[in-house]
Amino acid sequence: MHRPHSPVLLVIAHGSRDPRHASTVDALVRRVRAQRPGLRVETGFLEFSVPSVRGVLESLAAEGVRDVVALPLLLTRAFHAKADIPAVLAEAPARLRVRQAEVLGPSPLLLSALERRLYEAGLTPADKSSTGVVLASAGSSDPEAIAVIAEIAREWRLTGWCAVRPAFASASLPRTEDAVRELRELGCACVAIAPYVLAPGFLPDRIARGAADADVLAGVLGPAPEVARLLLERYDGARTAVPVAVGA
């Protein structure tokens, strides 16, 4: 049962025409619920999938819910986090107190989830020093988001990998296949692709195509336990934040 004084956690996903996207988001939300029994967790999508964020907010208000923490299921603070989501939340029913949580990245928990996926794909910790990793992101036209991905790659390299190079499926360069080539030229004995994406879809598929010449392709982050734990960290951090100004 939902604790009366705990804000509802509304996970805001982008949405996709690819049905694998929504099913992966659902699996992640189920893991969040399992990690914190008693917390009510709902999911809303910005586009393509249902229910919509606006529809979920209206339903919660109609039920008498007062407090909501809206958590962007995003890895960087790009356009959706800075513009789309605040605009949707600003149109929430006036009776709701809505707090917007921080995006998921960067976080050490995400690096742990990336390594989990690489090990599941066949690598071992003993392979780190001879393996070059492509940190393959969806990409963004936002310079801040691109800079964050590059910094994550630099920090991850310091944990023992032969090399780590960022790559982008859209909007920015290099592409995944270019980063694979660069790591080969550096002399890395093994090249692995670590998709820095949460769910399958068009851009993750492009990353996979760019991984054709790599030795290892890890799965998307999806419902990794570290990602679920991170959602709860962001939820807890937002509970005392200033509510979004609403007025629908």
Side-chain angles (χ1 to χ4, degrees), residues 54 83-92:
R54 183 176 289 106
D84 286 355
I85 291 175
V88 171
L89 297 181
E91 297 174 354

Side-chain angles (χ1 to χ4, degrees), residues 47 74 108 129 135 147-148 153 155 165-166 168 172 174 177 181 200 207 213 216 228 233:
E47 55 185 350
L74 300 169
S129 62
L135 181 68
V148 167
E155 291 182 3
R165 293 290 184 273
F168 307 95
S172 307
E177 52 269 34
R181 193 176 310 114
I207 289 171
D213 292 331
V216 174
E233 280 192 8

Side-chain angles (χ1 to χ4, degrees), residues 219-236:
V220 299
L221 295 170
E226 297 87 355
V227 179
R229 198 177 324 142
L230 180 56
L231 263 69
L232 290 169
E233 280 192 8
R234 294 291 185 256
Y235 168 82
D236 291 336

Side-chain angles (χ1 to χ4, degrees), residues 56-134:
V56 174
L57 289 169
E58 290 173 353
S59 294
L60 291 173
E63 286 181 36
V65 170
R66 294 298 307 275
D67 289 290
V68 176
V69 168
L71 195 159
L73 198 61
L74 300 169
L75 296 174
T76 58
R77 272 186 51 77
F79 181 78
H80 293 302
K82 295 177 179 178
D84 286 355
I85 291 175
V88 171
L89 297 181
E91 297 174 354
R95 73 186 71 177
L96 288 177
R97 287 188 293 265
V98 181
R99 292 169 170 84
Q100 182 175 337
E102 293 295 327
V103 297
L104 299 180
S107 167
L109 284 169
L110 290 174
L111 290 183
S112 296
L114 286 166
E115 295 203 353
R116 171 189 291 275
R117 294 302 188 225
L118 285 169
Y119 298 150
E120 288 171 350
L123 293 179
T124 71
D127 297 318
K128 290 184 79 167
S129 62
S130 60
T131 299
V133 179
V134 178

